[in-house]
Amino acid sequence: MKKSARMQILVNLAKQKENDVAKRLAVQQAQVESEKEKLVQLEAYSEQYRSERNLIGLNAFLSTNYQHFVDRLGQAIVQQKQQIARVEQESNFVRNQWVKARGKTESMDWLKNKHLTSEALIEDKREQSQSDEFAMQRFILAKQS
């Protein structure tokens, strides 16, 4: 088996690994977007409650409960921001894995192409040698006739 054919097997394996990592990256990026959307919803919900508080008159007891609820919403927003940071960190890690996998695939593909070029040159030289040998044999046979 030629080196280029063996290298093609390695290139295929590297591409498969790259594709697997790319799929994980897509999942991670979708999760980041989902977490960001949750944050936007929490912030909108919190803002809605803050603005409504000013519009409705609440007694002291209801006002305290209302404020506790708004405070819990604020805590949820902080936790959601932390969740986004964790998910983005995971996404960046997977992105770095993909970059490495892509680089490996490209380098193996380059090496395979180098072997293909080398094999083509060797084949061209072999064919030229055979052609020269046949021409020489015809020349010798023509002189003998």
Side-chain angles (χ1 to χ4, degrees):
M1 180 182 272
K2 292 182 178 182
K3 283 185 179 181
S4 63
R6 290 191 305 255
M7 285 303 301
Q8 185 61 50
I9 293 169
L10 296 175
V11 168
N12 291 345
L13 289 172
K15 282 183 182 179
Q16 181 60 44
K17 183 174 181 177
E18 177 188 343
N19 289 340
D20 292 345
V21 175
K23 288 175 187 174
R24 284 189 7 233
L25 178 58
V27 168
Q28 285 298 127
Q29 288 175 335
Q31 188 175 3
V32 168
E33 291 306 313
S34 173
E35 296 297 334
K36 285 182 178 181
E37 181 60 33
K38 288 177 188 176
L39 176 62
V40 167
Q41 290 173 354
L42 278 171
E43 288 174 335
Y45 194 52
S46 177
E47 184 57 36
Q48 177 185 356
Y49 269 85
R50 279 193 199 112
S51 65
E52 284 179 5
R53 180 174 190 225
N54 296 331
L55 296 176
I56 58 176
L58 299 175
N59 64 34
F61 177 75
L62 289 177
S63 181
T64 303
N65 285 343
Y66 200 87
Q67 186 58 45
H68 287 304
F69 180 73
V70 171
D71 290 343
R72 283 187 296 235
L73 272 176
Q75 291 170 353
I77 288 171
V78 168
Q79 290 173 348
Q80 188 61 30
K81 287 179 180 179
Q82 292 169 345
Q83 176 65 14
I84 289 170
R86 280 191 297 275
V87 173
E88 284 179 334
Q89 185 178 19
E90 292 170 9
S91 181
N92 288 335
F93 177 76
V94 174
R95 183 177 293 108
N96 289 336
Q97 286 181 323
W98 177 80
V99 168
K100 288 177 186 176
R102 180 71 189 138
K104 186 174 181 178
T105 300
E106 288 175 348
S107 64
M108 289 201 171
D109 199 37
W110 177 85
L111 188 57
K112 178 201 70 167
N113 288 334
K114 182 179 174 186
H115 286 301
L116 280 172
T117 302
S118 175
E119 290 166 359
L121 287 172
I122 290 170
E123 183 64 22
D124 287 347
K125 285 180 183 180
R126 187 187 64 74
E127 287 175 1
Q128 183 63 44
S129 176
Q130 283 180 343
S131 179
D132 291 346
E133 186 178 324
F134 290 143
M136 182 60 82
Q137 287 175 0
R138 278 184 285 187
F139 177 74
I140 292 172
L141 286 175
K143 276 202 156 212
Q144 291 176 355
S145 304

